[in-house]
């Protein structure tokens, strides 16, 4: 029996998440059900897509993820199940939640779930809680072995899955360019899509000072010089820093404060970031 992992934007202020757990346990009382998060910002499909790639690689093959951020519930958007190249599964609305997995070419097979047939018994009159009636139910069936992947529905092309616009990070003529992929919600750091490989390509090393520019839809909203360090302890409280985060991408933060709140920085493809080594004269001014 494999694990079932749930992600939603439902929060925990009512019984929605508990109902999903209950459905899974009705399907199989011995099923291991865990929570990825239920604090995805409401309707924020981009963040749901990111939290999947943040988490999937750390679970064993066979794990079934159910992700429900579904502003189109009850519409003609598809319900799908996909298999990744390392043998994990995601059941979700086909609304862009699979964007980052698709961008990384992680999905090798996809199936469309028949919402009228493959659903919690006696739930046909309900059209607004597919998280309980379709996704948790089918996720539990798959994780418990009561149905195999092929039995979830008809095969559909992976290329037909919905994908939100994405942007690739780059390095050219001394400048790293990327986007603010996500926030470290609890602490307010900015996590970019600039990889450690690109950082090395740019010749940036511990102790270097960087010019950091952040723009929203092409309009500059922040510019400063900050050190590139291995840990937050290398700067004082309240000071900015650049670092490599837990996903081995470039992060931007303020020690013991929220960068995103201090400077009203959002996330997604509309939020661009540029990084370059600071000239020596600027570093001298910075250190004065």
């Amino acid at each position: 029996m494999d694990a079932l992992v749930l992600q939603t934007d439902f929060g925990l202020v009512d019984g929605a998440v508990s109902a999903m757990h209950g459905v899974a346990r009705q399907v199989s009382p011995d099923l291991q059900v865990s929570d990825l998060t239920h604090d995805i910002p409401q309707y924020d499909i981009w963040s749901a897509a990111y939290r999947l790639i943040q988490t999937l690689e750390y679970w064993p093959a066979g794990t079934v993820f159910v992700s429900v951020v579904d502003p189109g519930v009850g519409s003609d958007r598809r319900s799908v199940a996909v298999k990744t190249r390392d043998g994990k599964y995601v059941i979700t609305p086909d609304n862009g939640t699979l964007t980052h997995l698709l961008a990384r070419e992680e999905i090798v097979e996809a199936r469309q779930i028949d919402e009228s047939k493959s659903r919690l018994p006696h739930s046909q009159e309900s059209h607004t809680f597919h998280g309980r009636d379709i996704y948790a139910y089918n996720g539990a069936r798959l994780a418990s072995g009561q149905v195999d992947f092929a039995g979830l529905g008809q095969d559909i092309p992976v290329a037909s899955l919905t994908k939100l616009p994405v942007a690739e990070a780059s390095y050219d003529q001394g400048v790293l360019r990327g986007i603010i992929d996500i926030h470290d919600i609890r602490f307010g750091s900015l996590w970019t899509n600039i990889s450690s490989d690109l950082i090395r390509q740019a010749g940036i090393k511990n102790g270097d000072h960087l010019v950091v520019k952040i723009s929203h839809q092409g309009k500059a909203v922040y510019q400063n010089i900050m050190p590139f360090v291995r840990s937050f302890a290398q700067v004082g409280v309240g000071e900015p820093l650049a670092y490599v985060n837990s996903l081995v991408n470039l992060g931007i933060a303020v020690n013991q404060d929220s960068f995103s709140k201090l400077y009203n920085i959002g996330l997604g493809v509309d939020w661009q970031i540029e990084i370059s080594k600071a000239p020596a004269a600027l570093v001298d001014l910075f250190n004065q």
Side-chain angles (χ1 to χ4, degrees):
M1 185 176 292
D2 295 307
L4 176 66
V5 181
L6 306 178
Q7 168 176 274
T8 73
D9 60 350
F10 296 166
L12 296 173
V13 296
D14 63 13
V17 171
S18 182
M20 293 175 68
H21 275 263
V23 165
R25 295 295 297 275
Q26 281 189 37
V27 171
S28 176
D30 297 323
L31 185 61
Q32 176 190 338
V33 186
S34 300
D35 297 302
L36 193 164
T37 180
H38 298 290
D39 288 326
I40 298 292
Q42 291 166 301
Y43 320 121
D44 188 348
I45 297 167
W46 176 272
S47 291
Y50 191 93
R51 297 305 177 195
L52 287 176
I53 61 163
Q54 182 183 356
T55 309
L56 257 74
E57 67 177 287
Y58 301 104
W59 285 82
T63 301
V64 179
F65 290 81
V66 164
S67 181
V68 189
V69 176
D70 194 14
V73 62
S75 69
D76 59 359
R77 62 95 188 94
R78 299 182 296 186
S79 292
V80 297
V82 301
K83 182 178 181 180
T84 67
R85 64 176 64 258
D86 57 357
K88 296 154 195 173
Y89 304 92
V90 182
I91 296 178
T92 187
D94 181 27
N95 58 10
T97 299
L98 300 169
T99 291
H100 293 303
L101 288 171
L102 288 166
R104 296 185 178 196
E105 299 182 344
E106 292 291 336
I107 297 174
V108 296
E109 192 175 350
R111 296 195 171 266
Q112 181 173 350
I113 298 171
D114 187 332
E115 295 179 359
S116 64
K117 296 178 181 178
S118 296
R119 60 183 300 140
L120 182 69
H122 313 299
S123 67
Q124 288 81 359
E125 296 301 317
S126 174
H127 302 285
T128 60
F129 198 177
H130 286 176
R132 174 195 66 196
D133 300 336
I134 295 170
Y135 303 122
Y137 176 69
N138 282 292
R141 292 171 69 216
L142 180 60
S144 64
Q146 296 184 24
V147 65
D148 62 12
F149 182 69
L152 287 174
Q154 67 179 26
D155 183 67
I156 57 174
V158 171
S160 74
L161 295 168
T162 301
K163 185 178 177 182
L164 302 175
V166 295
E168 297 294 332
S170 65
Y171 173 67
D172 183 53
Q173 297 183 351
V175 180
L176 289 164
R177 293 181 174 86
I179 64 169
I180 309 302
D181 244 352
I182 203 75
H183 295 162
D184 181 353
I185 296 296
R186 183 71 172 172
F187 300 104
S189 305
L190 312 180
W191 286 10
T192 78
N193 67 336
I194 298 172
S195 69
S196 59
D197 288 340
L198 283 175
I199 294 170
R200 283 191 292 271
Q201 186 177 335
I204 295 170
K205 58 186 183 299
N206 182 52
D208 284 345
H209 283 75
L210 308 178
V211 177
V212 176
K213 301 178 182 179
I214 299 173
S215 302
H216 180 240
Q217 295 180 341
K219 181 179 180 181
V221 297
Y222 177 89
Q223 181 169 330
N224 200 1
I225 296 174
M226 63 185 69
F228 178 70
V229 294
R230 290 196 178 97
S231 72
F232 285 56
Q234 290 180 250
V235 304
V237 173
E239 294 182 359
L241 63 139
Y243 67 105
V244 174
N245 67 18
S246 60
L247 296 186
V248 204
N249 288 336
L250 182 71
I252 303 295
V254 172
N255 190 14
Q256 296 187 34
D257 209 336
S258 171
F259 196 107
S260 61
K261 290 181 180 178
L262 282 172
Y263 302 106
N264 297 312
I265 306 298
L267 56 89
V269 294
D270 288 337
W271 287 88
Q272 301 90 30
I273 185 167
E274 292 186 2
I275 306 287
S276 58
K277 283 188 177 183
L282 285 178
V283 175
D284 291 340
L285 287 173
F286 178 84
N287 289 327
Q288 286 179 1

